[in-house]
Amino acid sequence: MEIFSEPNKKNNLSLALGYFDGVHLGHKAVIKSAVEYARKHGTKSAVITFKDHPCCYFYGVCPKYILSREERRKQIEKIGIDYLYELDFSKISTLSAQDYLENILIKNFSPISISTGFNHYFGAQKSGSTEFLTQMSNKYNYIYFKIDEKKLNGETISSTAIRNLLADGNIAKANLMLGYNFSIEGTVIKGQQLGRKIGFRTANITYPPELITVPFGAYSVKVILQGQVYNGVTNIGIRPTVSTSNRCSVETHIIDFNKDIYGEKIRVEFINMLRPEKKFNSLDELKKQIKYDISSTLFD
């Protein structure tokens, strides 16, 4: 997959439009539509999106993302897209729907097809819609695909719904909507090394500040290290039993693993929330709880 920050001349593309934060099951259906149509007609597919969420421009504050930019790229690439355009929203924010369609999409890509979600809007004051794209399809000679909403047990899958689930600690349901496990990545750093003193060594990383924050507590996780997958338990919080600091820490105990991995990059995939964070009366009480957390983890 090639990545561009500006439009360029690539004709006869099959386009997927949207921001695609999370690249959840609904987003995947839109992108897959573009990929499949391109392959059927012997051409290339492209996602047209933005480097940052439009809210960053309109409100001066970016929303908490579900995926880092790097991970969003990886998820999009997995679907089979040929080109990814991450445009600067501020450069096109004042364009009308007509100008954006004609002078950005048609002029640069001469699309044979355009795919969007069922609730897609674009252009200044949201002047462009699915109805507009349908109306313009004959004029500009493209096929338009409006992808219906995807649901999980009757609930519409959306980035907002997933953010709310993650913020509530409902990891398992969020993962079902995503179609993969919510995760964070980081380089293992040295902590206070209290874990090894009580018999549970931990790999500490920093929680990515741009991502939606899950509640303080203990989680069953999968840990990916150097291409290998391990089971683990992660605690996120301020460690009230052993610390008076309000600084958030992310500590992962990798089960049946006893190597020093300082400086290594790991990915922590969340499976489900085990319990909220709490203050224990003693280290012995904490050790018993950690043992219980390990024994009660749920893995596929």
Side-chain angles (χ1 to χ4, degrees):
M1 183 179 74
E2 295 183 66
I3 302 173
F4 304 98
S5 59
E6 298 283 348
N8 52 25
K9 279 286 185 181
K10 291 190 180 295
N11 293 329
N12 302 317
L13 296 188
S14 179
L15 304 180
L17 311 182
Y19 184 71
F20 303 123
D21 179 30
V23 195
H24 56 60
L25 293 180
H27 293 155
K28 288 177 181 177
V30 174
I31 298 170
K32 188 176 180 181
S33 168
V35 170
E36 291 180 345
Y37 196 80
R39 289 175 178 173
K40 182 178 179 180
H41 292 82
T43 188
K44 300 290 188 179
S45 59
V47 162
I48 313 299
T49 187
F50 305 108
K51 181 181 178 182
D52 297 304
H53 198 285
C55 286
C56 303
Y57 173 81
F58 287 120
Y59 306 114
V61 178
C62 293
K64 290 290 187 177
Y65 295 118
I66 299 167
L67 285 176
S68 67
R69 185 176 298 132
E70 179 183 357
E71 281 300 309
R72 184 176 69 152
R73 290 172 174 175
K74 290 179 181 178
Q75 289 292 335
I76 291 173
E77 185 173 25
K78 286 179 183 178
I79 304 171
I81 280 289
D82 296 297
Y83 308 123
L84 172 62
Y85 289 86
E86 296 177 326
L87 307 183
D88 183 343
F89 183 77
S90 65
K91 293 183 178 180
I92 62 172
S93 61
T94 60
L95 295 180
S96 68
Q98 180 68 44
D99 283 343
Y100 179 71
L101 177 61
E102 184 171 339
N103 295 317
I104 301 296
L105 301 184
I106 304 301
K107 180 179 178 180
N108 290 288
F109 309 121
S110 303
I112 63 168
S113 73
I114 296 177
S115 299
T116 76
F118 67 98
N119 58 352
H120 184 73
Y121 291 94
F122 63 100
Q125 284 83 49
K126 295 186 176 181
S127 53
S129 64
T130 58
E131 290 78 11
F132 178 79
L133 287 170
T134 300
Q135 293 167 7
M136 295 294 106
S137 61
N138 288 332
K139 178 179 179 180
Y140 293 113
N141 197 31
Y142 62 81
I143 301 294
Y144 173 58
F145 298 103
K146 181 178 76 170
I147 307 304
D148 292 336
E149 60 186 320
K150 301 298 177 183
K151 294 188 176 184
L152 177 67
N153 298 325
E155 184 178 351
T156 298
I157 296 173
S158 69
S159 298
T160 298
I162 292 167
R163 285 192 190 92
N164 290 338
L165 289 169
L166 292 172
D168 289 341
N170 194 339
I171 307 298
K173 187 174 179 179
N175 288 345
L176 288 175
M177 287 191 171
L178 287 168
Y180 59 88
N181 297 328
F182 172 73
S183 67
I184 61 175
E185 287 189 353
T187 300
V188 178
I189 57 177
K190 281 195 174 184
Q192 293 180 293
Q193 299 184 324
L194 292 174
R196 66 178 63 195
K197 294 179 181 179
I198 61 174
F200 299 98
R201 295 176 58 150
T202 60
N204 299 351
I205 63 174
T206 300
Y207 200 100
E210 74 274 16
L211 298 188
I212 184 75
T213 306
V214 297
F216 288 176
Y219 296 83
S220 61
V221 300
K222 296 282 189 180
V223 180
I224 292 80
L225 168 65
Q226 298 177 342
Q228 298 295 312
V229 181
Y230 303 90
N231 296 328
V233 175
T234 293
N235 187 81
I236 297 177
I238 58 175
R239 305 180 305 157
T241 305
V242 296
S243 175
T244 57
S245 170
N246 288 323
R247 185 174 65 87
C248 176
S249 66
V250 181
E251 301 176 317
T252 299
H253 173 68
I254 306 174
I255 298 172
D256 298 325
F257 185 88
N258 197 35
K259 298 178 181 178
D260 282 329
I261 54 173
Y262 295 121
E264 297 281 353
K265 187 175 182 179
I266 64 172
R267 183 167 82 249
V268 178
E269 296 186 354
F270 293 79
I271 306 302
N272 68 295
M273 187 174 186
L274 299 173
R275 59 173 176 82
E277 184 175 55
K278 63 174 289 187
K279 183 175 182 178
F280 296 93
N281 294 322
S282 66
L283 286 180
D284 283 339
E285 203 175 299
L286 174 60
K287 288 170 64 176
K288 289 179 182 178
Q289 181 63 58
I290 294 173
K291 287 181 180 179
Y292 180 80
D293 291 340
I294 294 171
S295 68
S296 62
T297 53
L298 300 175
F299 302 109
D300 295 328

